[in-house]
RNA sequence: GGUGGGGUUCCCGAGUGGCCAAAGGGAACAGACUGUAAAUCUGUCGGCGUCAGCCUUCGGAGGUUCAAAUCCUCCCCCCACCA
């Protein structure tokens, strides 16, 4: 199947500049295409997953994608989809983040294709460009009239309180130049990006048309939404990052397993390499026995393998089983339980100085205040080693601690608020 | 610069002297149901608490009053129209 048709089937094609032309372009193997990632955070997050995966799909289809780090554009700030001007980041910080993301991309691509990706940084070709070059050789090809018509700019001009600085206004020119540069140097004629990138991408196709007298293609992905209207990619604790240091593999897996039925098939298409047949089978499962959640399990497993690997998935599954299995926490193997709760918040106390239960819940960040903790206990939201606590004044006793104090993992009490929030009380 | 309208608890928004920690909605959290789903229903939703109450909050600073989100003075900011 032509990769363009595959992307279409997956629902990943939102806008294309020339569908037939692009389809032909992608027919021959070894074509170049790129997508940029501005280093605005320490790690990629799942909002970056669609473009990242799309480049990987290209690689698997025999093409030569370029993974572009926005070391230069990250210094300017993309106005697309932002209703106010952004703080400029410190230059050293941007380059440091870019390097971190480079390592992350390389690991990701190698895990999923066995190949080393071509990762580039636009800082390398933008840093030595002079103001005169930029204004004469690039700027001359853009009329302000045309730039003002872009959504990213128009939206900001209408907001008189915030406006838009000349810096961010120029962002599309830099991004356009990237595309031109990659086209000239590597024959790259396709840029892909999120739904808000259309304006920036077409700045590039425009520049290529005028300077290189050739065609280039633009393709954007749809904005990812959930059926119930929640923002995709955010949990209570914020963005879901790909770095295990920022979002534990357990939390990552949990995010996917909680996908609504109404979204799960769409997400399987977006976020996994599963084939049309596999996904059709899972779709039938959702219809037949939704309570089994076969599709959610497949989605969570696939994406966890993709980002964290098979080994991490095995650990996560063991943890999930321990915490959501029906078993008595006391009957569980202590080591398994300890491993399952590895990423849960923990707090050490001296036994003699154990505070009251509401205070412990606050210390573990399970409740925002002691008052709220008492209310939660009254509402039956808190459990201790799996048993509901109904008395806020209940004190912890030695019997509550699971495991031997001198065992490998130490003794602890498992507290839970709601269905999914765990915390550990340890002696120390 | 002039005139008018505003700034309320996470967000929107009611409240024009005591019955105001402040209506209503949203978000969030929890409970029930179920499937670690959605929808629905219920509860909570400034902090502390021995649950009596205490403390902090209505753009900022003062003032009037037994009592102020509400009245007065000055200041800051936003919006609309005029210049």
């Amino acid at each position: 199947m032509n990769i363009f048709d595959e992307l279409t089937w997956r629902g990943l094609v939102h806008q294309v500049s020339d569908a037939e032309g692009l389809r032909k372009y992608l027919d021959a193997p070894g074509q170049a295409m790129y997508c940029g990632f501005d280093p605005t955070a320490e790690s990629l997050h799942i909002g970056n997953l669609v473009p990242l995966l799309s480049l990987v799909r290209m690689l698997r289809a025999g093409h030569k994608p370029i993974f572009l780090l926005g070391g230069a554009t990250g210094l300017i700030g993309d106005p697309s989809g932002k209703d106010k001007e952004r703080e400029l980041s410190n230059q050293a910080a941007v380059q440091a983040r870019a390097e971190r993301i480079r390592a992350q991309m390389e690991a990701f691509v190698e895990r999923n294709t066995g190949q080393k990706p071509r990762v580039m940084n636009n800082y390398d070709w933008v840093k030595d460009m002079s103001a005169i070059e930029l204004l004469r050789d690039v700027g001359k090809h853009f009329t302000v009239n045309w730039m003002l018509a872009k959504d990213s700019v128009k939206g900001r001009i209408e907001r008189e309180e915030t406006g838009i600085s000349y810096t961010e206004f120029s962002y599309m020119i830099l991004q356009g130049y990237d595309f031109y540069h990659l086209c000239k140097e590597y024959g790259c004629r396709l840029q892909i990006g999120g739904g808000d990138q259309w304006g920036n991408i077409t700045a590039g196709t425009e520049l290529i048309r005028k300077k290189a007298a050739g065609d280039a293609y633009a393709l954007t992905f749809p904005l990812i939404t959930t059926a119930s209207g929640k923002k995709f990619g955010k949990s209570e604790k914020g963005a879901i990052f790909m770095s295990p240091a920022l979002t534990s593999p357990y939390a990552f897996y949990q995010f996917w397993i909680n996908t609504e039925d109404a979204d799960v098939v769409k997400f399987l298409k977006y976020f996994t390499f599963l084939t049309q047949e596999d996904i059709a089978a899972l779709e039938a499962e959702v219809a037949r026995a939704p309570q089994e959640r076969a599709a959610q399990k497949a989605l969570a497993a696939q994406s966890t393998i993709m980002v964290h690997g098979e080994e991490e998935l095995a650990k996560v599954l063991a943890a999930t089983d321990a915490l959501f299995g029906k078993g008595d926490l006391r009957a569980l193997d202590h080591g398994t339980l300890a491993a399952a709760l590895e990423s849960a918040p923990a707090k050490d106390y001296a036994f003699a100085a154990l505070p009251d239960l509401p205070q412990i819940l606050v210390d573990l960040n399970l409740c925002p205040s002691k008052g709220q903790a008492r209310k939660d206990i009254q509402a039956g939201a808190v459990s201790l080693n799996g048993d509901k606590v109904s008395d806020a004044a209940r004190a912890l006793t030695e019997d509550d601690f699971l495991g031997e104090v001198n065992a490998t993992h130490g003794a602890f009490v498992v507290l839970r608020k709601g269905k999914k929030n765990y915390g550990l009380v340890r002696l120390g």
Side-chain angles (χ1 to χ4, degrees):
Chain A
M1 177 149 78
N2 181 300
I3 182 72
F4 181 70
D5 294 328
E6 181 182 338
L7 293 180
T8 306
W9 163 69
R10 288 187 185 275
L12 287 171
V13 179
H14 177 233
Q15 286 173 289
V16 218
S17 55
D18 171 8
E20 258 328 289
L22 177 57
R23 199 169 178 286
K24 273 199 205 108
Y25 178 70
L26 293 171
D27 248 345
Q31 302 288 19
M33 67 284 302
Y34 95 95
C35 179
F37 300 86
D38 278 1
T40 51
E42 294 297 313
S43 160
L44 293 169
H45 50 87
I46 58 175
N48 300 123
L49 217 45
V50 162
L52 190 61
L53 262 178
S54 296
L55 289 180
V56 169
R57 293 184 205 283
M58 291 292 180
L59 192 57
R60 285 162 75 115
H63 292 301
K64 291 179 160 173
I66 295 165
F67 297 74
L68 183 69
L69 294 166
T73 37
L75 293 170
I76 305 303
D78 186 356
S80 306
K82 299 279 184 306
D83 56 15
K84 48 173 172 294
E85 191 81 8
R86 285 200 276 175
E87 286 284 317
L88 285 179
S89 298
N90 160 294
Q91 179 149 342
V94 171
Q95 299 319 324
R97 290 197 295 249
E99 285 315 304
R100 211 160 294 174
I101 290 172
R102 174 193 295 271
Q104 205 170 25
M105 279 179 176
E106 287 176 347
F108 181 82
V109 176
E110 283 190 64
R111 174 176 294 123
N112 290 290
T113 63
Q115 300 179 52
K116 271 213 182 291
R118 276 206 287 188
V119 182
M120 302 184 189
N121 187 334
N122 59 15
Y123 186 71
D124 293 337
W125 55 80
V126 174
K127 68 171 192 294
D128 295 324
M129 191 185 235
S130 71
I132 290 183
E133 252 180 286
L134 177 71
L135 293 174
R136 282 183 67 97
D137 299 347
V138 186
K140 195 69 176 170
H141 297 285
F142 295 91
T143 66
V144 168
N145 313 48
W146 185 82
M147 291 170 75
L148 287 174
K150 298 282 180 193
D151 285 345
S152 57
V153 175
K154 206 164 42 171
R156 286 274 289 275
I157 291 198
E158 281 159 9
R159 291 180 158 258
E160 291 179 27
E161 330 84 84
T162 45
I164 182 167
S165 64
Y166 186 72
T167 309
E168 289 196 8
F169 178 59
S170 317
Y171 185 91
M172 71 173 88
I173 288 185
L174 268 196
Q175 185 166 333
Y177 181 75
D178 284 343
F179 196 0
Y180 167 72
H181 176 86
L182 292 171
C183 175
K184 197 177 62 170
E185 300 295 324
Y186 304 98
C188 174
R189 292 192 170 273
L190 167 63
Q191 184 183 169
I192 62 180
D196 57 359
Q197 289 298 307
W198 185 256
N200 290 334
I201 297 176
T202 50
T205 59
E206 197 75 358
L207 186 63
I208 290 171
R209 201 168 53 74
K210 288 177 175 158
K211 275 183 78 93
D215 282 328
Y217 307 101
L219 185 156
T220 59
F221 307 114
L223 183 72
I224 297 173
T225 53
T226 65
S228 51
K230 285 180 189 143
K231 244 193 200 137
F232 171 79
K234 294 271 162 80
S235 74
E236 321 74 67
K237 309 212 165 63
I240 305 289
F241 288 99
M242 288 168 63
S243 158
L246 296 175
T247 299
S248 72
Y250 173 78
F252 185 87
Y253 179 91
Q254 288 294 322
F255 171 79
W256 295 106
I257 199 98
N258 281 307
T259 303
E260 307 167 22
D261 291 4
D263 289 323
V264 71
V265 171
K266 184 169 75 178
F267 286 4
L268 282 167
K269 290 179 184 169
Y270 285 172
F271 298 109
T272 71
F273 295 115
L274 294 178
T275 63
Q276 218 161 340
E277 296 78 60
D278 290 340
I279 292 177
L282 287 166
E283 187 169 13
E285 277 301 295
V286 174
R288 189 186 65 80
Q291 71 282 6
E292 297 293 330
R293 295 184 308 136
Q296 278 90 342
K297 284 177 185 166
L299 174 66
Q302 290 294 319
S303 52
T304 304
I305 289 174
M306 214 159 60
V307 173
H308 297 293
E310 300 258 8
E311 260 178 56
E312 284 299 325
L313 175 66
K315 287 190 212 163
V316 165
L317 287 176
T320 296
D321 218 43
L323 297 181
F324 290 98
K326 302 262 185 300
D328 176 7
L329 284 185
R330 285 177 184 277
L332 267 173
D333 173 64
H334 191 65
T336 307
L337 186 60
L341 291 163
E342 204 175 356
S343 60
K347 184 95 182 160
D348 297 305
Y349 300 97
F351 186 78
L354 273 171
D356 58 2
L357 201 49
Q359 184 60 50
I360 293 175
L361 289 166
V362 172
D363 289 347
L364 289 168
N365 278 325
L366 292 177
C367 300
S369 69
K370 290 181 76 173
Q372 188 58 47
R374 284 199 186 84
K375 286 166 186 160
D376 286 336
I377 291 170
Q378 257 157 37
V382 174
S383 69
L384 191 158
N385 293 336
D387 301 320
K388 259 185 195 169
V389 179
S390 49
D391 179 10
R394 186 192 190 293
L396 295 181
T397 66
E398 277 178 61
D399 284 347
D400 292 327
F401 284 83
L402 305 176
E404 295 300 316
V405 181
N406 292 319
T408 346
H409 297 288
F412 52 74
V413 174
V414 180
L415 286 176
R416 194 187 73 185
K417 189 203 81 169
K419 275 194 180 105
K420 304 167 194 170
N421 310 296
Y422 286 89
L424 289 185
V425 180
R426 290 187 308 222
L427 294 180

